[in-house]
Amino acid sequence: MSRDALIFYSAFDDPAAWKKTLTAELSDLDFFTDPDAVDPARVNYALAWKPPSGFFARFPNLKLVTNLGAGVDSLVGRDDLPDVPISRLSDTGMVSLMSSYVLFSVIRYARDIHIFERAQRRSEWKYVHPRALSDIRVGVLGLGELGAPAAQALAQTGFDVRGWSRSLKTVPGVTCSAGIETLDDFLRDIEILVILLPLTPDTRGLLDARRLALLPADAKLINASRGAVVDETALIAALQSGQIAEATLDVFVVEPLPRDHVFWRMENVLITPHLASITVPEAAAREVAESIRRVRSGLPPLHQIDPRRGY
């Protein structure tokens, strides 16, 4: 009887690290990175990030597809996605990395570090009197497995934190609202907006020119979810006009960000290369292995998503 096989694909992740950690968890699993090196009929599991078109169609006996990341927008729109359980990664390491990125980004604005960075370049001693953190209203759009812990971390730091999601959530220390009908009022009261929404048909372009204009003057925006959640043209105009004073952007409509993009030349934009939350194999492999064990036993995998909803 042949052993179960898993096919791995990612242009960004280290297959050697994943093979070492995953096969240590599942000694009866054969790990392949070359589709031509394995009988396609043996492949029951796929662990992949943005594989080429038609990738899944060549494996007729797939039982589980695991997305090598938290965001599944690039996966659910494919025409070769098999009718099997689809899961995504969500380990404690990813949560910690995202929360730390959000804390850094919010604190940088709350403590006026962006102002001091510019003053240093001018060799200028510039004093700005600090505000109490409890007076600074921070809004978190998206209270999922990454957004809720980030919002809670902000609240524990002392900020006045408001959270918005599609369905009502309860997060300790966070004032939560839900539903598209409440979004406009939510935005009107936010000084620092953190975007942690998944990219779905409902959230694509959700923050358009009209909604960005609802934010108070001098608002700051942090996007660590997906670039297309925000209308990029509208965001550029708002940053140029001063309607939005500052932005920290980890995600973009086109990645890598083209060298001639206007964001590179904007002093009020901090750019990071889509690394707010990444997968660490040593931590995530345990959850991937547990999902495989569950599927073998006829149970749903961990962190199963609904392709129709996009998350």
Side-chain angles (χ1 to χ4, degrees), residues 133-274:
L133 299 187
S134 58
D135 290 342
I136 299 174
R137 299 182 302 279
V138 181
V140 179
L141 284 183
L143 297 174
E145 293 191 33
L146 296 178
Q152 188 172 357
L154 288 165
Q156 290 171 340
T157 303
F159 293 101
D160 177 359
V161 184
R162 325 287 176 88
W164 181 91
S165 53
R166 176 174 170 173
S167 56
L168 190 60
K169 304 290 178 65
T170 300
V171 181
V174 178
T175 302
C176 297
S177 58
I180 193 66
E181 67 279 1
T182 71
L183 181 57
D184 287 4
D185 285 340
F186 174 86
L187 293 171
R188 289 189 178 99
D189 203 32
I190 299 302
E191 296 181 56
I192 303 175
L193 181 66
V194 180
I195 304 168
L196 291 175
L197 289 166
L199 180 61
T200 70
D202 291 334
T203 64
R204 183 178 293 275
L206 181 68
L207 291 171
D208 55 12
R210 185 188 70 80
R211 287 200 171 103
L212 291 175
L214 295 175
L215 290 165
D218 201 39
K220 283 79 173 177
L221 182 147
I222 298 159
N223 191 1
S225 58
R226 289 292 185 268
V229 172
V230 183
D231 181 330
E232 200 167 86
T233 300
L235 177 59
I236 291 168
L239 285 163
Q240 290 173 331
S241 70
Q243 166 60 31
I244 293 178
E246 307 281 339
T248 296
L249 305 176
D250 187 57
V251 290
F252 306 89
V253 173
V254 176
E255 295 180 2
L257 187 66
R259 293 179 65 87
D260 61 350
H261 198 287
V262 65
F263 280 147
W264 290 115
R265 303 187 297 276
M266 300 182 79
E267 188 180 48
N268 57 345
V269 175
L270 176 64
I271 293 170
T272 57
H274 201 150

Side-chain angles (χ1 to χ4, degrees), residues 15-244:
W18 274 100
K19 181 176 182 178
K20 178 181 178 181
T21 55
L22 194 53
T23 55
E25 291 284 334
L26 294 170
S27 60
D28 60 346
L29 182 72
D30 290 334
F31 184 104
F32 294 91
T33 58
D34 181 0
D36 296 325
V38 59
D39 176 1
R42 284 189 57 205
V43 176
N44 297 134
Y45 314 104
L47 178 59
W49 178 252
K50 296 185 178 180
S53 178
F55 179 83
F56 297 113
R58 65 190 298 171
F59 304 111
N61 296 322
L62 282 173
K63 299 177 182 178
L64 171 68
V65 172
T66 301
N67 187 60
L68 199 55
V72 296
D73 47 284
S74 64
L75 187 66
V76 296
R78 301 173 62 100
D79 58 11
D80 64 337
L81 197 63
D83 186 19
V84 300
I86 311 295
S87 68
R88 61 182 179 82
L89 297 187
S90 181
D91 62 82
T92 56
M94 295 176 69
V95 171
S96 297
L97 285 172
M98 180 60 80
S99 294
S100 69
Y101 184 93
V102 170
L103 278 171
F104 156 77
S105 301
V106 170
I107 291 170
R108 178 172 172 264
Y109 291 135
R111 294 305 313 272
D112 301 307
I113 303 302
H114 59 296
I115 295 175
F116 305 139
E117 289 169 345
R118 291 170 197 156
Q120 179 177 335
R121 289 194 287 271
R122 299 190 300 268
S123 302
E124 178 184 348
W125 182 276
K126 183 177 179 62
Y127 182 86
V128 179
H129 195 72
R131 293 173 61 195
L133 299 187
S134 58
D135 290 342
I136 299 174
R137 299 182 302 279
V138 181
V140 179
L141 284 183
L143 297 174
E145 293 191 33
L146 296 178
Q152 188 172 357
L154 288 165
Q156 290 171 340
T157 303
F159 293 101
D160 177 359
V161 184
R162 325 287 176 88
W164 181 91
S165 53
R166 176 174 170 173
S167 56
L168 190 60
K169 304 290 178 65
T170 300
V171 181
V174 178
T175 302
C176 297
S177 58
I180 193 66
E181 67 279 1
T182 71
L183 181 57
D184 287 4
D185 285 340
F186 174 86
L187 293 171
R188 289 189 178 99
D189 203 32
I190 299 302
E191 296 181 56
I192 303 175
L193 181 66
V194 180
I195 304 168
L196 291 175
L197 289 166
L199 180 61
T200 70
D202 291 334
T203 64
R204 183 178 293 275
L206 181 68
L207 291 171
D208 55 12
R210 185 188 70 80
R211 287 200 171 103
L212 291 175
L214 295 175
L215 290 165
D218 201 39
K220 283 79 173 177
L221 182 147
I222 298 159
N223 191 1
S225 58
R226 289 292 185 268
V229 172
V230 183
D231 181 330
E232 200 167 86
T233 300
L235 177 59
I236 291 168
L239 285 163
Q240 290 173 331
S241 70
Q243 166 60 31
I244 293 178

